[in-house]
Amino acid sequence: MAFEDLKQRIRPDWRDTLKGILERARSLGPQAVLAFDLDSTLFDNRPRQARILREYGDARALGLLSACEPHHWETGWDMRAAMRACGLEDADVEQRFADARAFWQERFFTSAYCVSDEAIEGAGAFMQAVAATGAQVVYLTGRHEAMREGTVACLARCGMVTPPGEGGRVHLVMKPTLKEDDDAFKREAHARLGRMGTVVAAFDNEPTHANDYRQRFPEATVIHLATDHSGRAVELLDGIVSVPHFALEDVTHRA
């Protein structure tokens, strides 16, 4: 589904769904299991993307790219679109893209760069609220083990519970290496989640992964983060709730 189509699925009462998840987790305590993806779910990767493109601009003396900011990545993970948003002409984008992509590939999937991520709105407070229920928190991510140190550092900086905290109730499940397929890895990890307790809720930005959760854990609440995704044309299954972020209060309506 296109990003705009996904955003149109957001219902006015989506915050009630998040509050209901906290209530159910609190009723089950340590038996409850909540699974969270990281990239574009709890974390906004655009600062990392922008940092890499700025460094590429510096390395290649491309002043327009040296000024890259997170808002230049508004359309998602499309580097060509980000380069154009920075002011590069189409011909220059095509000429530079392969080189820029290789530069990006060497940096994006590393601890040194994932520390640049920022929390999705309300994510830090929501994760603290989840931890306060006594439930088990599982960060189930397509990141690989070489990114563990930077990932834990970023979780801490963004105010989220970090593994192995809360009496061993916080877990970070990562791919062994970068080469494993994200879809297959997450599907295999579902069995581990089921052994840990009752899966109350699962959160992911990728429609494919949200659908997998919905099929594997039909009694759980599956939350889709309507941020961005890989761009695959996948329809969300019925029953999945789309949310824009994690803030449980609408601050725009405060007096």
Side-chain angles (χ1 to χ4, degrees):
M1 297 181 73
F3 299 147
E4 292 306 316
D5 292 336
L6 289 171
K7 289 179 179 178
Q8 289 176 6
R9 296 182 82 260
I10 300 172
R11 294 168 39 179
D13 61 350
W14 62 267
R15 287 185 174 89
D16 293 337
T17 301
L18 293 184
K19 293 174 183 177
I21 289 171
L22 292 176
E23 291 174 4
R24 187 173 181 217
R26 191 175 298 111
S27 70
L28 293 175
Q31 178 64 24
V33 177
L34 285 80
F36 296 85
D37 181 42
L38 295 179
D39 296 306
S40 299
T41 298
L42 291 177
F43 286 137
D44 180 353
N45 306 135
R46 291 175 301 170
R48 188 187 346 167
Q49 303 270 32
R51 173 187 170 187
I52 295 172
L53 204 50
R54 281 197 304 272
E55 292 183 5
Y56 176 75
D58 292 343
R60 302 295 188 266
L62 297 170
L64 290 173
L65 298 187
S66 295
C68 184
E69 295 293 340
H71 67 82
H72 291 126
W73 291 83
E74 287 294 337
T75 58
W77 287 59
D78 186 346
M79 183 182 289
R80 287 184 175 92
M83 295 169 79
R84 286 192 291 268
C86 288
L88 246 59
E89 298 293 335
D90 286 347
D92 292 331
V93 170
E94 292 307 315
Q95 179 185 355
R96 296 282 185 177
F97 175 73
D99 185 42
R101 177 72 180 181
F103 188 94
W104 175 92
Q105 185 74 30
E106 292 175 354
R107 292 160 177 79
F108 187 80
F109 301 103
T110 68
S111 273
Y113 281 81
C114 74
V115 294
S116 296
D117 293 352
E118 297 291 344
I120 294 291
E121 182 182 353
F126 187 78
M127 294 309 300
Q128 293 293 337
V130 170
T133 68
Q136 297 189 67
V137 173
V138 182
Y139 299 117
L140 178 50
T141 173
R143 297 182 181 192
H144 63 298
E145 284 289 347
M147 299 177 70
R148 180 173 290 270
E149 181 179 356
T151 297
V152 173
C154 199
L155 286 167
R157 179 175 60 78
C158 292
M160 301 181 203
V161 292
T162 57
E166 304 295 323
R169 289 185 285 104
V170 183
H171 315 269
L172 175 56
V173 180
M174 312 181 83
K175 297 191 304 185
T177 67
L178 180 58
K179 67 180 181 180
E180 281 85 17
D181 177 74
D182 285 5
D183 296 352
F185 169 74
K186 287 195 171 184
R187 288 169 185 149
E188 291 171 1
H190 289 171
R192 176 175 174 179
L193 292 178
R195 291 193 298 268
M196 294 174 67
T198 301
V199 179
V200 169
F203 301 73
D204 209 297
N205 66 298
E206 281 290 337
T208 295
H209 300 162
N211 288 348
D212 286 345
Y213 277 124
R214 181 66 176 157
Q215 292 173 327
R216 177 63 178 80
F217 302 106
E219 300 304 316
T221 301
V222 178
I223 300 294
H224 164 256
L225 269 293
T227 51
D228 58 28
H229 60 83
S230 60
R232 290 179 286 181
V234 176
E235 298 285 334
L236 285 169
L237 296 176
D238 289 343
I240 295 174
V241 178
S242 291
V243 307
H245 50 71
F246 290 92
L248 295 180
E249 294 185 37
D250 185 353
V251 297
T252 62
H253 292 98
R254 289 181 180 174

